[in-house]
Amino acid sequence: MKTKVGIIGGGPSGLLLSQLLDLQGIDNIVLEKHSREYVLGRIRAGVLEHGFAELMREAQCGERMDAEGEIHEGFYIAEGGEKRRVDLDGHTGGNSVVVYGQTELTRDLYDARAKMDGKVIHNVEDVTLHNLKGDAPHITYREGDNIIRIDCDYIIGADGFHGVSRKSIPKDVLKEHEKIYPFGWLGVLSRTKPVSPELIYAKSDRGFALCSLRSQVLSRYYIQVPMSDTVEDWSDDAFWTELKARLPKEVAEGLETGQSIEKSIAPLRSFVAEPMRYGNLFLAGDAAHIVPPTGARGLNSAASDIYYLYHALLDHYKNDDDTGLENYSEKALARVWKAQRFSWWMTSLLHTFPENNAYDNRLQQTDMEYLFSSKAALTSLAENYVGLPF
Ligand code: APR
Ligand code: PHB
């Protein structure tokens, strides 16, 4: 087979780029390790920057997001028994975020690909990248006993943190930066009415908690837990009791509890791989970078990678201009690192750190006091949360 752009990974990054390119008549193939159902079974975050929402609309995939997603113009930070609102709209001159589950967004992308007869090949095995620096870059993969070869102009590694693409860059070229946090998030999905119309990020001596939602009948909650904990350590009752203990009293009293329909623990890590290009391979999304979920930047930092790659490939094929491709890694990393900084800062502000000494804890408290005493600090938080410009 031959295609212009070979995309490895049928998650949000790979699907969105595939859809955008196809709409411009740029031939591409997506290779996905798992089935569509498996990919759609993953529970992920649910806050979209306005830039991501715009990209979904440009990809003609924004209809259900606009119909079912919720525009949120602010969120709360709770601490010491009270909650204070961060006015996103007011601090950013009218910007906001869309609350819409990544699972639904990925479903919309799959449906759009199917509607255009997009080439998404599932259950591929042993994907291997070849000749990345040569003049015949190609991908091979196994389908049963057959080895299939796809010749491409360019290969996009959108195969997530555990994918094959990043690992195809020679170790003496790739530089990896990582920070591991000493805790995880225990998340619960429940068919209950959300406790608050807007998200509540709670800082408490017992640990961080987050009240989020997927719709008015589907709630998403998280509590910070030690990495030594397992899901089996937490019954639903134990989760609800601990969540209430970390929220202001009047919020806890309004919390509707119910059976968890999904419960899992996610570790928190910050990770960036540089460069995001090697020859004809371009990394995008989780394949190149990971953030702790605190700032809801995961999917949103993938969006700017896709935006840059889409325009760079468009310029290459339509205008014979390779400036975007040449600048991709530097440009993408500049915004990736800003999302890293913001995610690290929000994580540092809101979580309890077992190894902190008294000075560290006073510094953390001062950060919170300064935030709510300064219009500039709140503006900085708000402009990062709604999404810095692409
Ligand atoms: N061959 C083919 N596909 C692969 C391979 C491989 N060797 N390895 C992984 N994949 C697939 C995975 O099955 C997954 O569906 O690549 C896809 C990568 O998708 P994601 O991990 O969702 O990454 P991305 O599309 O960049 O989306 C980033 O997803 O994980 C969340 O928090 C993250 O919100 C962020 C978003
Ligand atoms: C979620 O709804 O899953 C969510 C929302 C905001 C975050 C992280 C996760 O910062």
Side-chain angles (χ1 to χ4, degrees):
M1 279 189 274
K2 180 155 179 51
T3 187
K4 287 189 167 64
V5 183
I7 300 172
I8 303 174
S13 297
L15 293 169
L16 179 54
L17 180 61
S18 173
Q19 176 71 4
L20 288 164
L21 292 175
D22 207 354
L23 286 168
Q24 297 293 331
I26 298 173
D27 186 58
N28 66 88
I29 294 178
V30 176
L31 297 177
E32 165 55 47
K33 182 178 186 179
H34 292 294
S35 67
R36 183 183 187 281
E37 294 66 32
Y38 183 94
V39 175
L40 291 175
R42 295 176 182 139
I43 302 293
R44 292 281 168 70
V47 172
L48 308 181
E49 293 177 355
H50 63 98
F52 192 106
E54 279 307 306
L55 213 43
M56 285 290 286
R57 296 179 188 114
E58 183 173 354
Q60 297 177 17
C61 298
E63 195 177 331
R64 201 159 69 99
M65 175 190 71
D66 288 330
E68 298 175 17
E70 292 186 5
I71 303 284
H72 282 216
E73 297 179 345
F75 64 84
Y76 292 91
I77 293 181
E79 190 206 10
E82 63 165 348
K83 60 183 176 127
R84 289 177 284 191
R85 188 166 185 269
V86 177
D87 177 6
L88 297 173
D89 178 79
H91 285 293
T92 62
N95 276 329
S96 55
V97 293
V98 179
V99 173
Y100 185 62
Q102 182 177 315
T103 307
E104 299 318 310
L105 177 142
T106 307
R107 188 189 314 280
D108 296 340
L109 287 165
Y110 267 115
D111 290 349
R113 291 283 62 223
K115 198 172 162 190
M116 287 186 72
D117 287 331
K119 293 190 278 295
V120 181
I121 303 172
H122 287 277
N123 303 310
V124 298
E125 297 178 271
D126 303 341
V127 169
T128 310
L129 286 63
H130 306 271
N131 205 243
L132 295 177
K133 285 278 208 180
D135 54 5
H138 59 281
I139 305 167
T140 57
Y141 67 92
R142 189 163 56 78
E143 208 167 60
D145 296 334
N146 302 323
I147 299 294
I148 317 281
R149 169 171 168 149
I150 304 178
D151 288 288
C152 327
D153 296 340
Y154 298 106
I155 298 173
I156 310 300
D159 48 350
F161 183 73
H162 300 289
V164 65
S165 300
R166 186 180 68 251
K167 297 162 189 163
S168 302
I169 298 178
K171 288 198 182 320
D172 62 342
V173 172
L174 195 69
K175 289 178 185 57
E176 296 184 333
H177 311 272
E178 187 169 46
K179 180 181 186 60
I180 305 287
Y181 297 88
F183 41 73
W185 278 18
L186 167 62
V188 158
L189 195 63
S190 58
R191 292 194 199 289
T192 54
K193 178 166 176 41
V195 73
S196 166
E198 293 180 326
L199 273 63
I200 301 175
Y201 293 81
K203 179 180 184 300
S204 89
D205 294 342
R206 301 176 68 94
F208 169 82
L210 171 60
C211 303
S212 183
L213 62 135
R214 292 289 177 272
S215 70
Q216 285 310 305
V217 293
L218 196 58
S219 299
R220 182 68 166 160
Y221 295 104
Y222 299 95
I223 58 172
Q224 169 188 351
V225 293
M227 272 324 291
S228 51
D229 278 14
T230 65
V231 174
E232 292 67 36
D233 295 329
W234 288 89
S235 67
D236 285 1
D237 286 347
F239 176 83
W240 296 121
T241 303
E242 186 57 37
L243 175 63
K244 286 179 180 178
R246 299 185 185 189
L247 297 173
K249 190 166 176 294
E250 91 278 357
V251 176
E253 285 169 353
L255 181 70
E256 181 187 334
T257 63
Q259 187 181 352
S260 61
I261 57 175
E262 194 274 344
K263 182 159 52 179
S264 54
I265 293 180
L268 269 65
R269 84 155 53 94
S270 300
F271 174 85
V272 180
E274 298 180 337
M276 288 175 59
R277 174 186 187 178
Y278 178 71
N280 292 305
L281 169 65
F282 295 82
L283 301 182
D286 273 19
H289 42 77
I290 297 284
V291 283
T294 324
R297 288 312 94 180
L299 184 55
N300 293 303
S301 36
S304 47
D305 297 345
I306 296 311
Y307 177 84
Y308 299 141
L309 272 176
Y310 166 54
H311 285 282
L313 290 163
L314 213 50
D315 284 347
H316 170 79
Y317 287 109
K318 305 283 186 188
N319 311 323
D320 199 20
D321 173 358
D322 285 355
T323 313
L325 291 173
E326 296 309 322
N327 297 340
Y328 168 69
S329 180
E330 184 183 351
K331 191 168 183 181
L333 283 167
R335 192 172 186 276
V336 160
W337 275 107
K338 292 187 179 76
Q340 293 282 327
R341 182 210 69 82
F342 177 65
S343 304
W344 160 82
W345 173 77
M346 245 183 121
T347 302
S348 306
L349 178 75
L350 296 168
H351 290 74
T352 50
F353 287 77
E355 77 286 4
N356 267 11
N357 62 26
Y359 181 86
D360 299 322
N361 289 330
R362 285 296 285 120
L363 211 52
Q364 185 187 45
Q365 191 52 41
T366 304
D367 204 358
M368 185 72 85
E369 287 162 8
Y370 171 63
L371 174 64
F372 283 101
S373 70
S374 160
K375 185 171 180 294
L378 283 167
T379 300
S380 173
L381 165 51
E383 70 175 12
N384 277 277
Y385 197 88
V386 300
L388 297 177
F390 284 170

